[in-house]
């Protein structure tokens, strides 16, 4: 089960892993805390109801990746401001939700699906979005409630990210509000990463998943990262986005794993090298 805050988060962070597992015959479930109705988008899409548009995009992305189910916890998008946006239309902002209550909703899905693996985010929520931080808190609590044996934090190798941002700044015009230095504490330190999952074989599915989130291609007057990455030529896309990173807390020191299922009970040593 892959737990994300908003539609399109799955495309950037875990789409390759999802396609890989689905291709191996595993049942893959995507759970989204919100519909992402406060995301950046052109006015024309907002007039149609951005939440409904992004829910449809999430279902399209899930079909591409081979997911068996998409579920929404029903919370409102909190926005990126430090204080969550006020509740609208009866939906509570996810970042302000009671952790136990939200975790109970997720735990019910984990139990129903008999999930043996749950992905969440790192403690910083990647780049600090309040809903992403809440995914970390709620996901761990739900896994304890449901007895889910393995929890992986979807993240990015911070060292590679900073290196990539420096290189990208030479060819890509970031919006004025983009602060490259803010990423110095974002995502995961290389020493923390326990899983480096190769997904180059699934690059077409990952790029198609990203393209499914058309509403997030532009924000205001500028092209967004999702669209910029999606336009990379195939070889460059495979190089930049051909690996997905995870952290499993409490794992004994050892080699970085390549299989997201390597630490499942009974997985065996052979799974570690796949």
């Amino acid at each position: 089960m892959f737990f994300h805050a908003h539609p399109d988060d799955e495309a950037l962070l875990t789409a390759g892993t999802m396609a890989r597992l689905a291709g191996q015959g595993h049942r893959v479930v995507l759970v989204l805390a919100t519909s992402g109705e406060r995301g950046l988008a052109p006015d024309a899409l907002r007039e149609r109801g951005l939440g409904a548009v992004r829910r449809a995009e999430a279902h399209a992305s899930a079909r591409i990746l081979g997911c068996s189910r998409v579920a929404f916890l029903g919370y409102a998008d909190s926005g990126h401001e430090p204080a969550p946006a006020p509740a609208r239309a009866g939906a509570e902002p996810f970042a302000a939700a009671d952790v136990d209550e939200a975790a109970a909703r997720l735990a019910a899905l984990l139990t129903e699906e008999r999930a043996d693996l749950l992905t969440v985010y790192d403690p910083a929520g990647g780049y600090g979005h309040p809903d992403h931080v809440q995914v970390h808190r709620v996901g761990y609590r739900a896994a304890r409630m449901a007895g889910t044996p393995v929890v992986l934090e979807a993240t990015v190798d911070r060292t590679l990210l900073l290196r990539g941002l420096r290189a990208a700044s030479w060819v890509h015009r970031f919006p004025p509000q983009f602060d490259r230095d803010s990423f110095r504490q974002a995502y995961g330190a290389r020493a923390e990463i326990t899983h480096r999952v190769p997904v180059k074989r699934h690059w077409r599915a990952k790029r198609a998943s990203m393209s499914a989130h058309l509403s997030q291609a532009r924000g205001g007057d500028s092209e967004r990262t999702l669209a910029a990455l999606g336009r990379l030529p195939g070889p460059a896309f495979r190089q930049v986005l051909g690996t997905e990173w995870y952290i499993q807390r409490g794992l004994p020191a050892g080699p970085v794993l390549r299989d997201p299922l390597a630490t499942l009970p009974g997985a065996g040593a052979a799974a570690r090298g796949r």
Side-chain angles (χ1 to χ4, degrees):
M1 185 173 290
F2 290 77
F3 182 34
H4 288 280
H6 317 101
D8 86 351
D9 292 333
E10 87 289 347
L12 284 168
L13 285 174
T14 64
T17 306
M18 296 165 77
R20 169 179 167 150
L21 292 175
Q24 292 172 348
H26 299 285
R27 180 173 172 84
V28 175
V29 176
L30 172 61
V31 178
L32 295 158
T34 82
S35 297
E37 68 276 7
R38 289 178 59 86
L40 296 174
D43 291 340
L45 287 175
R46 291 191 172 282
E47 291 171 4
R48 290 168 50 193
L50 185 56
V53 170
R54 296 191 71 183
R55 284 195 297 273
E57 291 173 344
H59 281 282
S61 168
R63 285 193 296 271
I64 291 166
L65 299 176
C67 295
S68 299
R69 179 182 182 184
V70 180
F72 290 84
L73 293 190
Y75 290 99
D77 185 349
S78 306
H80 204 297
E81 295 75 19
R88 294 186 300 173
E92 183 180 18
F94 183 54
D98 179 82
V99 171
D100 285 332
E101 179 182 318
R105 296 188 193 186
L106 180 59
L109 292 170
L110 287 166
T111 301
E112 179 184 347
E113 292 288 345
R114 293 183 293 176
D116 45 21
L117 181 147
L118 175 69
T119 71
V120 297
Y121 301 142
D122 54 65
Y127 60 94
H129 191 296
D131 285 338
H132 289 222
V133 176
Q134 185 77 318
V135 162
H136 176 85
R137 292 190 291 249
V138 168
Y140 269 105
R141 187 75 58 88
R144 288 194 293 271
M145 289 178 175
T148 305
V150 175
V151 179
L152 299 182
E153 299 174 11
T155 191
V156 176
D157 183 329
R158 187 189 302 151
T159 299
L160 290 178
L161 175 64
L162 292 173
R163 189 181 302 162
L165 288 173
R166 284 195 298 272
S169 66
W170 289 97
V171 295
H172 177 67
R173 188 174 183 178
F174 290 107
Q177 67 274 21
F178 184 82
D179 180 11
R180 196 172 71 190
D181 289 339
S182 67
F183 287 87
R184 294 188 182 281
Q185 300 302 319
Y187 295 101
R190 177 169 291 182
E192 295 181 305
I193 291 171
T194 58
H195 293 65
R196 187 181 296 118
V197 179
V199 296
K200 287 183 179 179
R201 293 182 181 179
H202 306 282
W203 74 274
R204 289 184 177 85
K206 179 161 182 167
R207 183 153 75 175
S209 168
M210 293 166 61
S211 297
H213 295 282
L214 185 61
S215 71
Q216 299 305 290
R218 296 192 66 84
D221 296 326
S222 62
E223 183 181 56
R224 300 190 68 194
T225 304
L226 189 76
L229 291 173
R231 288 191 295 101
L232 290 173
F237 188 96
R238 290 194 297 274
Q239 182 63 31
V240 173
L241 295 166
T243 301
E244 292 175 350
W245 297 270
Y246 300 90
I247 298 169
Q248 184 173 351
R249 302 290 172 180
L251 201 63
V256 176
L257 304 173
R258 293 167 56 85
D259 184 352
L261 305 181
T263 59
L264 288 181
R272 296 177 181 266
R274 276 195 235 160

